Amino acid sequence: MLSMTCRNLDFGTRVLDLVAVGSYSNASIVRHSVKYLGKTFTSKVYGARRMVCSRLNIRRTRVFSTNTSEALFDGVGEGTTPVLDLNKEAKSPISLANLFEVVADDLQTLNQNLQSIVGAENPVLMSAAEQIFGAGGKRMRPALVFLVSRATAELAGLKDLTTKHRRLAEIIEMIHTASLIHDDVLDESDMRRGKETVHQLYGTRVAVLAGDFMFAQSSWYLANLENLEVIKLISQVIKDFASGEIKQASSLFDCDVELEEYLLKSYYKTASLIAASTKGAAIFSGADGSITEQMYEFGKNLGLSFQVVDDILDFTQSAEQLGKPAGSDLAKGNLTAPVIFALEKEPKLREIIESEFCETGSLDEAIELVKQCGGIERAQELAKEKADLAIKNLQCLPQSNFQLALEDMVKFNLERID
Amino acid sequence: MMSMTCHNLDFGTRVLDLVAVGSSSNSSIERHSVKNHGKGFTSKVYGARRMVCCRQNISRARAFSTKTSEALLDGVGERTAPVLDLKKEAKSPISLGNLFDVVADDLQTLNQNLCSIVGAENPVLMSAAEQIFGAGGKRIRPALVFLVSRATAELAGLKDLTAKHRRLAEIIEMIHTASLIHDDVLDESDMRRGKETVHQLYGTRVAVLAGDFMFAQSSWYLANLENLEVIKLISQVIKDFASGEIKQASSLFDCDVELEEYLLKSFYKTASLIAASTKGAAIFSGADRSVTEQMYEFGKNLGLSFQVVDDILDFTQSAEQLGKPAGSDLAKGNLTAPVIFALEKEPKLREIIESEFCDTGSLDEAIKLVKQCGGIERAQELAQEKADLAIENLQCLPQSNFRLALQDMVMFNLERID
């Protein structure tokens, strides 16, 4: 069913954005962590290293001291990490701030560069960009580029990140930001996590133009990296973005949607960019084909896991936590993993969805049905499955605090649905 | 002066579009030719070859018969064409139909390929694309690619166009089309030469998405041409488009705008793409650096000449001829060549413009002042100057009916303001 005019087209990367870009201040990240501490908290743990990561103030040097008695690693070790589920009490939850500390300087340089790239052109564009780049944006995608760059750099004997690594991260963040700006135009969204959207503040024209400008800038920087493999990789992503939007828009309220289709759409809209980022980072580290492929798979699986968690939270979080009404994917007819699983069990749900929620209260009823039919649990399993694959993909990397941080990213994501 | 929200951002390629893309039917092109034929019509002629071109039914074969007694060319000759102004009575005006005959098959293949590239993705996108690709669109930019490709192919001993030549032409047309679609969103235009805009028919979302899709597709095809020089060339264009829009939007109603700024903006918005097209075509023909540079300059000078003529016509044609109210550039605060020249002579014009035409009748008064101050004539000289440079740039090519057709393009453009 194609209905293009009235429905929101949603890029579906909200959780990533929650932590990566926008108005999330440091304060709210800390509150998020504190909430978790309050609960009695068990999580699946991959080896002892996780706790070490969380507790320590990780610096960029490879050697660090710790007070825990858990098995430690010394920065360079063999690839013998067991990928087992060890139910251990977490000493503290992973916070993104800790996770990103190892690349904090890289992220700071990135922020400065992005401001000058965008701001140099025009003051209005600068304001528009500031609106979306925001203060305290967490930059998850660039962080991934930096982490993978550093994690693979050792394999190539590199001491530090190259200019191309940094530029790649900037390109990725510009593409992501451009897509958010256009996304808000497509959605006619007024707010993005507490801040007005570019579209709302400056109008459609500025939003379309700012998005076009950023896409154009990133294409130009990409071309000047002069690496055909990476150029093709990222061009594929931009194509995938557009295809994903179109695919989603074409299948709103379509209850025959299969899980594979959903995964493909999620790949186009979210995982494709992340996969290209991680692979590109490995390419610029001079890593060989098998490593770059593993990094691609890592990014893809991580991205899919993110998207599934994102889709779960749309059902399980309150409007306050989400910053918008709950169940908005479903309301728009965008049928995600929890719904697809629930539809297998409950024919009534199909009826309600196909009615496009014309009756008052039918949306709430649908949400209830999704929860009752175990849609959430099965989606959690799917998220976990992708996360497991992502962890496996990391095994080809030498052990380091960067590799640890990458594992922690995977786990941080899952913790959001515990 | 920065005014982003209320003013149209105009790509300013209207005349090019009049003949290249959209709803101009063949019959209106005929009417145009007939009108010119009726007037006592003299035009600047570059050598005798021109008449040969117009009169003959030029087929793709290199040798053709003719009944005129003018000096003919036989397909391969020396580069001795004088670049003089010879005032000769034109036997018939140049029509684009004739001009493009030599590459008619190439254009037909292009049309088919474009339809399948865009249509394959989604039927709604296809409809949107058909709306803008239109029936009878004249495809000036791809025609330029084909003509330069064929004109330079001989230098490299190529018998026919390569797949890369064709793909380049498709990429160029997709980029141009994408920019038109976004342009209409930025302008909030309802009509593009008698047809509703994509934006009007399908809404902003589809228009933004269709434009993004086409930009993405062209980036991907570009990357897969695997030629770094061309990739960088075209990426620069996309960056220039965005810069041009921003520059224009930032200087609306700014009477201090200098001619150089205007030419830079016209380069960004119009000439950059054409220059990259012609240079790219020469690159894929394997031409050497001096020829590719001359082809770049040719495209640039032709593009600037086009833009100036476009801007003149906005003053001299009636609303009926233009398909919209006359003087719309000026009304929006977009100060083009005729105005810039007139401002040097007439202080009163400055006052009126700076008032942003708040008084009724002030726009008409301004248009009159522009005409009275010789703004039109001086702009015509500017268009002629760029056209002369363009003709010179063609001298490095072997004589052929393709080179002739390129010359005719330059002259066809100028004839529009005779």
Side-chain angles (χ1 to χ4, degrees):
Chain A
M1 189 208 95
L2 183 55
S3 88
M4 293 287 286
T5 52
C6 305
R7 314 265 173 235
N8 285 331
L9 300 170
D10 187 351
F11 258 77
T13 54
R14 272 156 302 156
V15 167
L16 289 165
D17 305 334
L18 196 71
V19 292
V21 178
S23 55
Y24 239 55
S25 67
N26 279 328
S28 41
I29 287 287
V30 171
R31 280 200 302 276
H32 179 77
S33 304
V34 166
K35 262 193 223 162
Y36 275 98
L37 275 178
K39 298 180 356 185
T40 307
F41 176 76
T42 61
S43 71
K44 305 211 184 283
V45 175
Y46 296 91
R49 270 172 240 93
R50 182 179 165 281
M51 284 160 234
V52 168
C53 257
S54 304
R55 301 233 94 189
L56 300 176
N57 197 2
I58 296 174
R59 306 239 169 265
R60 282 172 66 190
T61 57
R62 307 289 300 284
V63 178
F64 51 91
S65 64
T66 172
N67 289 332
T68 86
S69 58
E70 317 266 354
L72 300 174
F73 72 88
D74 61 355
V76 181
E78 276 97 57
T80 54
T81 320
V83 185
L84 298 174
D85 289 351
L86 306 170
N87 277 328
K88 287 208 169 115
E89 202 77 26
K91 291 205 167 63
S92 61
I94 304 170
S95 77
L96 272 184
N98 285 350
L99 233 159
F100 290 172
E101 253 180 281
V102 284
V103 291
D105 291 353
D106 297 326
L107 287 171
Q108 181 149 345
T109 305
L110 175 109
N111 280 337
Q112 287 158 2
N113 289 351
L114 283 174
Q115 302 273 35
S116 60
I117 287 170
V118 179
E121 188 75 14
N122 179 283
V124 172
L125 261 202
M126 184 62 197
S127 309
E130 266 169 5
Q131 189 69 14
I132 193 94
F133 282 137
K138 285 294 170 286
R139 308 259 182 272
M140 188 170 276
R141 285 164 190 75
L144 274 171
V145 171
F146 293 136
L147 287 173
V148 172
S149 300
R150 290 189 179 281
T152 49
E154 179 198 321
L155 290 166
L158 287 177
K159 296 290 172 217
D160 200 359
L161 296 191
T162 64
T163 316
K164 296 196 174 193
H165 282 127
R166 294 189 190 283
R167 190 61 89 197
L168 177 69
E170 286 154 17
I171 289 167
I172 296 295
E173 190 65 1
M174 278 195 283
I175 289 173
H176 173 61
T177 304
S179 71
L180 291 183
I181 293 178
H182 274 195
D183 193 22
D184 287 336
V185 171
L186 295 176
D187 273 355
E188 290 174 345
S189 304
D190 294 340
M191 301 291 274
R192 186 173 275 279
R193 283 175 301 291
K195 262 185 150 180
E196 285 160 309
T197 55
V198 173
H199 160 75
Q200 175 68 12
L201 263 187
Y202 299 96
T204 300
R205 285 192 205 99
V206 173
V208 174
L209 190 52
D212 286 351
F213 177 76
M214 264 191 266
F215 273 124
Q217 285 282 70
S218 35
S219 297
W220 187 82
Y221 281 116
L222 181 64
N224 282 276
L225 285 179
E226 302 196 334
N227 181 308
L228 270 176
E229 192 183 2
V230 173
I231 290 171
K232 289 198 277 185
L233 197 60
I234 307 281
S235 305
Q236 181 69 48
V237 171
I238 298 176
K239 191 165 170 260
D240 289 344
F241 267 163
S243 297
E245 276 304 307
I246 291 162
K247 206 178 253 311
Q248 184 172 285
S250 316
S251 57
L252 295 172
F253 296 104
D254 178 4
C255 293
D256 291 322
V257 63
E258 304 255 340
L259 192 69
E260 280 316 304
E261 260 182 79
Y262 160 80
L263 287 171
L264 183 60
K265 186 208 76 185
S266 303
Y267 168 73
Y268 282 154
K269 293 182 59 173
T270 304
S272 175
L273 180 61
I274 298 175
S277 314
T278 47
K279 180 172 179 177
I283 288 172
F284 285 131
S285 288
D288 67 44
S290 67
I291 304 268
T292 61
E293 284 315 307
Q294 283 299 302
M295 288 304 97
Y296 187 85
E297 292 298 311
F298 166 70
K300 184 179 122 187
N301 288 316
L302 175 62
L304 288 173
S305 188
F306 262 132
Q307 185 61 60
V308 175
V309 170
D310 198 16
D311 295 337
I312 289 168
L313 291 174
D314 195 56
F315 282 93
T316 60
Q317 281 191 330
S318 69
E320 186 195 53
Q321 286 166 310
L322 286 167
K324 54 178 179 163
S328 58
D329 282 336
L330 186 54
K332 286 184 271 180
N334 179 17
L335 310 183
T336 60
V339 178
I340 295 172
F341 287 128
L343 275 169
E344 290 174 13
K345 298 272 168 65
E346 180 56 78
K348 188 147 186 257
L349 182 58
R350 172 180 278 256
E351 274 176 45
I352 301 176
I353 292 173
E354 283 177 351
S355 80
E356 298 187 19
F357 311 111
C358 52
E359 287 169 30
T360 325
S362 56
L363 178 63
D364 287 330
E365 195 187 345
I367 294 174
E368 269 301 305
L369 284 172
V370 168
K371 290 177 177 176
Q372 282 167 16
C373 296
I376 307 296
E377 284 75 23
R378 286 185 64 195
Q380 281 175 323
E381 280 165 27
L382 178 61
K384 180 80 173 51
E385 178 193 315
K386 296 303 177 191
D388 288 344
L389 290 171
I391 295 288
K392 281 215 190 81
N393 297 131
L394 290 175
Q395 300 314 303
C396 62
L397 297 176
Q399 286 179 13
S400 67
N401 42 353
F402 305 112
Q403 190 223 29
L404 262 188
L406 289 168
E407 281 184 12
D408 277 353
M409 273 240 202
V410 180
K411 290 175 287 184
F412 171 82
N413 173 48
L414 287 180
E415 277 173 21
R416 296 185 294 125
I417 49 174
D418 276 332
Chain B
M1 193 210 95
M2 172 91 258
S3 89
M4 292 290 282
T5 50
C6 306
H7 300 287
N8 283 335
L9 302 170
D10 186 353
F11 258 77
T13 53
R14 270 154 301 154
V15 167
L16 291 165
D17 304 333
L18 194 71
V19 292
V21 176
S23 53
S24 251
S25 66
N26 279 329
S27 60
S28 47
I29 288 285
E30 283 309 301
R31 280 202 301 279
H32 178 76
S33 302
V34 166
K35 263 193 224 163
N36 277 347
H37 197 61
K39 300 181 341 187
F41 177 74
T42 60
S43 71
K44 302 202 187 288
V45 176
Y46 298 91
R49 272 170 240 92
R50 181 182 163 278
M51 284 158 234
V52 168
C53 253
C54 297
R55 301 234 97 185
Q56 307 305 323
N57 192 4
I58 296 175
S59 54
R60 279 171 73 192
R62 304 292 298 287
F64 50 93
S65 64
T66 172
K67 298 201 168 65
T68 88
S69 58
E70 319 262 356
L72 300 176
L73 63 98
D74 60 358
V76 181
E78 272 97 56
R79 304 192 177 107
T80 53
V83 185
L84 298 173
D85 288 351
L86 306 169
K87 285 200 142 60
K88 285 208 172 119
E89 203 71 30
K91 290 206 167 59
S92 62
I94 304 170
S95 76
L96 274 183
N98 287 350
L99 234 160
F100 291 173
D101 260 343
V102 284
V103 291
D105 290 354
D106 297 326
L107 288 172
Q108 181 148 346
T109 307
L110 173 107
N111 280 337
Q112 288 160 2
N113 289 351
L114 282 175
C115 279
S116 62
I117 287 171
V118 180
E121 187 78 16
N122 178 281
V124 172
L125 263 202
M126 186 59 198
S127 309
E130 266 167 3
Q131 189 68 12
I132 190 96
F133 283 138
K138 285 292 169 286
R139 307 258 184 271
I140 272 190
R141 286 163 192 76
L144 275 169
V145 172
F146 293 135
L147 287 172
V148 172
S149 300
R150 290 188 178 283
T152 50
E154 181 199 320
L155 291 167
L158 287 177
K159 296 285 171 223
D160 198 1
L161 296 191
T162 64
K164 294 196 175 195
H165 282 129
R166 296 188 190 284
R167 190 60 89 194
L168 176 68
E170 285 153 17
I171 288 167
I172 297 296
E173 191 65 2
M174 276 195 284
I175 289 173
H176 173 61
T177 305
S179 70
L180 292 183
I181 292 177
H182 274 195
D183 193 21
D184 288 339
V185 171
L186 296 176
D187 274 354
E188 289 175 347
S189 306
D190 292 341
M191 301 291 272
R192 185 173 274 281
R193 282 174 303 289
K195 262 183 149 182
E196 285 160 310
T197 56
V198 172
H199 159 76
Q200 176 69 13
L201 260 188
Y202 297 97
T204 302
R205 282 193 207 100
V206 173
V208 174
L209 191 51
D212 285 351
F213 177 74
M214 265 191 265
F215 273 125
Q217 283 283 74
S218 36
S219 297
W220 188 80
Y221 281 116
L222 181 66
N224 282 276
L225 284 179
E226 301 196 337
N227 181 309
L228 271 177
E229 193 182 2
V230 174
I231 289 172
K232 288 198 277 186
L233 197 59
I234 307 282
S235 304
Q236 181 70 48
V237 171
I238 299 178
K239 191 165 173 256
D240 288 345
F241 267 164
S243 297
E245 276 304 305
I246 291 163
K247 207 178 251 314
Q248 185 171 285
S250 317
S251 56
L252 294 173
F253 296 106
D254 179 4
C255 292
D256 292 320
V257 65
E258 306 254 339
L259 191 70
E260 281 315 306
E261 263 183 78
Y262 161 80
L263 287 171
L264 183 60
K265 187 209 76 186
S266 302
F267 171 72
Y268 282 155
K269 292 180 62 171
T270 305
S272 175
L273 180 60
I274 297 174
S277 313
T278 46
K279 181 173 179 177
I283 290 173
F284 284 130
S285 289
D288 67 41
R289 184 147 298 278
S290 63
V291 175
T292 63
E293 283 315 306
Q294 283 298 302
M295 287 305 98
Y296 184 85
E297 291 297 310
F298 167 71
K300 183 181 123 186
N301 288 316
L302 175 61
L304 289 174
S305 188
F306 262 132
Q307 186 60 59
V308 175
V309 169
D310 199 17
D311 294 337
I312 290 168
L313 291 175
D314 195 55
F315 282 91
T316 60
Q317 281 190 334
S318 68
E320 185 196 51
Q321 287 165 309
L322 286 167
K324 54 178 179 164
S328 58
D329 282 335
L330 186 52
K332 287 185 268 177
N334 181 15
L335 312 183
T336 59
V339 178
I340 295 173
F341 287 127
L343 276 169
E344 290 173 15
K345 296 274 168 65
E346 179 55 78
K348 188 146 184 256
L349 184 57
R350 173 181 277 256
E351 273 178 46
I352 300 176
I353 292 172
E354 282 176 351
S355 80
E356 299 189 18
F357 309 112
C358 50
D359 293 336
T360 322
S362 58
L363 178 63
D364 287 332
E365 196 186 344
I367 293 173
K368 274 193 86 157
L369 283 172
V370 168
K371 291 176 176 175
Q372 282 167 14
C373 296
I376 306 297
E377 284 74 24
R378 285 184 66 196
Q380 282 176 321
E381 281 164 25
L382 177 61
Q384 178 73 57
E385 180 195 312
K386 296 302 178 189
D388 289 345
L389 290 172
I391 295 291
E392 270 174 48
N393 295 132
L394 289 175
Q395 302 311 306
C396 63
L397 298 177
Q399 287 180 14
S400 68
N401 45 352
F402 304 112
R403 184 180 118 170
L404 265 187
L406 289 169
Q407 281 174 211
D408 278 356
M409 274 243 202
V410 179
M411 294 177 296
F412 171 82
N413 173 49
L414 287 179
E415 276 171 23
R416 295 185 296 127
I417 50 174
D418 276 331

